[in-house]
Amino acid sequence: MKTTQTDNVHLPQTLEPRNPGMALDLDWVMRATANRSAIERRAATLPGRRSVKKDHQAAWLCRAVTCIDLTTLAGDDTVGRVNRLCSKARQPVRADLLQALGMEGLKVGAVCVYHDMVAPAVDALAGSGIPVAAVSTGFPAGLSPFHLRVAEIEESVKSGAAEIDIVISRRHVLTGNWQALYDEMRAFRAACGEAHVKAILATGELGTLQNVARASLVCMMAGADFIKTSTGKESVNATLPVSLVMIRAIRDYFEETGYRVGYKPAGGISKAKDALVYLALMKEELGDRWVQNDLFRFGASSLLGDIERQLEHHVTGAYSASWRHASG
């Protein structure tokens, strides 16, 4: 696999027809099931069966870099911290390593921040081709008044966010109120306008894999451009079984409608080897098209540091201390 510096300078709408959504099909939703034991067996085989080495591993790790939504979502975020993060987004790996790898110009997929930091991030990334993503709709709990959640989306779009990561109301899933979830997602999609919307399902709080499958379908029917596992704030975040359920829902939706929806695992993915497993899962289940950053992202704050450390080992043959490779 060859990764080029132009892989990550486009927003999804420039590469794929945008998912317009469809009418809520409750029959389809209720047919969606999940065989936990079979899913867990399949997920358990991935880390051992799919191992890439040497130049192939370096190429996949470079691809992983282009798929990172480099993220800071802390209460003590400052403009200075966001500016440093944006500088890292522009130059995610040391220049000498990229030169040795023939990967000059490598950049991350996006920078993800809270609303107040959207404008500084847009300024810091000007001319880079890297979009700014904003978490929205009362992130992470999604329990603020509905009109305020919609207004928050609109304000982030006005400030320059090209992508909006929304959180769904978990209670709609837990009570099986699929119409309410659909209507909510449609309203969020409309508020985004031209900005792409990633629907965060908070899968660790949905109770069952069947709920994950059904919520995935409903959000795609309502026009989600991406479906995303977690806010990163739940006790259980991205897992391989959950990912398998969600990407098979994506496959089913594509086969039914012809529209490709993206996938974003988030929370707890901090090691380069984990990134390789997720990329292998995407390639096996959905094909090469879904391992490009208009259809696949990692939500991560520390993953980049470990990837850079592994790339340095590939180039130099030696590991450096992990503290030398901060993500932001």
Side-chain angles (χ1 to χ4, degrees):
M1 182 193 65
K2 180 177 176 59
T3 303
T4 70
Q5 68 184 52
T6 58
D7 278 340
N8 63 319
V9 298
H10 301 290
L11 291 177
Q13 61 264 36
T14 66
L15 297 179
E16 287 287 336
R18 191 175 183 187
N19 172 32
M22 55 179 283
L24 178 62
D25 185 340
L26 282 174
D27 288 339
W28 184 5
V29 173
M30 299 312 293
R31 288 197 305 269
T33 59
N35 183 329
R36 176 175 286 276
S37 61
I39 290 165
E40 290 179 344
R41 284 197 304 271
R42 165 76 172 115
T45 66
L46 281 162
R49 287 194 307 112
R50 293 295 176 257
S51 180
V52 290
K53 302 294 184 184
K54 299 184 179 180
D55 288 348
H56 296 289
Q57 183 182 85
W60 277 104
L61 290 177
C62 287
R63 174 58 59 88
V65 170
T66 72
C67 294
I68 290 175
D69 279 3
L70 198 57
T71 302
T72 182
L73 298 171
D76 58 353
D77 281 343
T78 63
V79 171
R81 174 181 289 176
V82 169
N83 285 340
R84 289 192 296 274
L85 192 75
C86 292
S87 294
K88 188 65 175 176
R90 287 175 175 268
Q91 180 72 62
V93 177
R94 275 185 7 225
D96 61 312
L97 299 179
L98 292 181
Q99 184 175 19
L101 293 165
M103 292 301 302
E104 297 93 335
L106 194 73
K107 294 177 286 191
V108 302
V111 168
C112 186
V113 294
Y114 277 119
H115 167 75
D116 277 0
M117 293 296 151
V118 170
V122 169
D123 289 343
L125 293 171
S128 69
I130 302 171
V132 173
V135 294
S136 194
T137 63
F139 180 96
L143 293 175
S144 55
F146 180 74
H147 72 280
L148 295 180
R149 284 180 276 158
V150 172
E152 187 180 6
I153 293 172
E154 294 170 344
E155 289 300 316
S156 290
V157 173
K158 288 179 185 176
S159 295
E163 301 176 7
I164 303 292
D165 289 27
I166 64 95
V167 288
I168 66 168
S169 296
R170 285 67 136 179
R171 65 184 178 277
H172 295 330
V173 179
L174 295 172
T175 59
N177 194 343
W178 304 114
Q179 185 68 57
L181 177 61
Y182 178 86
D183 292 343
E184 176 184 80
M185 186 68 232
R186 288 297 285 180
F188 292 162
R189 160 69 191 270
C192 287
E194 295 301 312
H196 275 220
V197 57
K198 306 190 194 90
I200 307 173
L201 305 188
T203 54
E205 297 178 347
L206 297 188
T208 67
L209 291 178
Q210 179 173 277
N211 278 345
V212 171
R214 292 176 176 178
S216 297
L217 283 174
V218 172
C219 285
M220 290 187 287
M221 289 175 183
D225 297 293
F226 267 72
I227 52 175
K228 174 180 171 182
T229 58
S230 321
T231 65
K233 309 295 185 181
E234 294 90 51
S235 59
V236 178
N237 294 293
T239 68
L240 288 174
V242 159
S243 295
L244 190 59
V245 170
M246 292 175 71
I247 65 179
R248 286 183 174 174
I250 288 172
R251 184 175 65 195
D252 291 345
Y253 187 81
F254 173 66
E255 290 174 351
E256 181 70 22
T257 69
Y259 290 101
R260 291 183 173 92
V261 173
Y263 178 62
K264 180 178 174 180
I269 303 172
S270 60
K271 298 297 182 183
K273 64 181 180 181
D274 296 328
L276 294 174
V277 172
Y278 276 95
L279 286 168
L281 178 62
M282 295 299 290
K283 180 178 173 64
E284 288 190 6
E285 292 287 331
L286 293 174
D288 290 342
R289 183 64 191 84
W290 261 275
V291 292
Q292 299 181 48
N293 73 355
D294 64 315
L295 290 172
F296 182 68
R297 301 283 181 81
F298 293 105
S301 56
S302 57
L303 173 62
L304 179 58
D306 193 55
I307 290 177
E308 185 176 19
R309 187 166 178 256
Q310 300 304 321
L311 290 174
E312 181 176 19
H313 178 265
H314 176 76
V315 171
T316 67
Y319 281 111
S320 61
S322 58
W323 58 263
R324 294 187 57 209
H325 301 282
S327 295

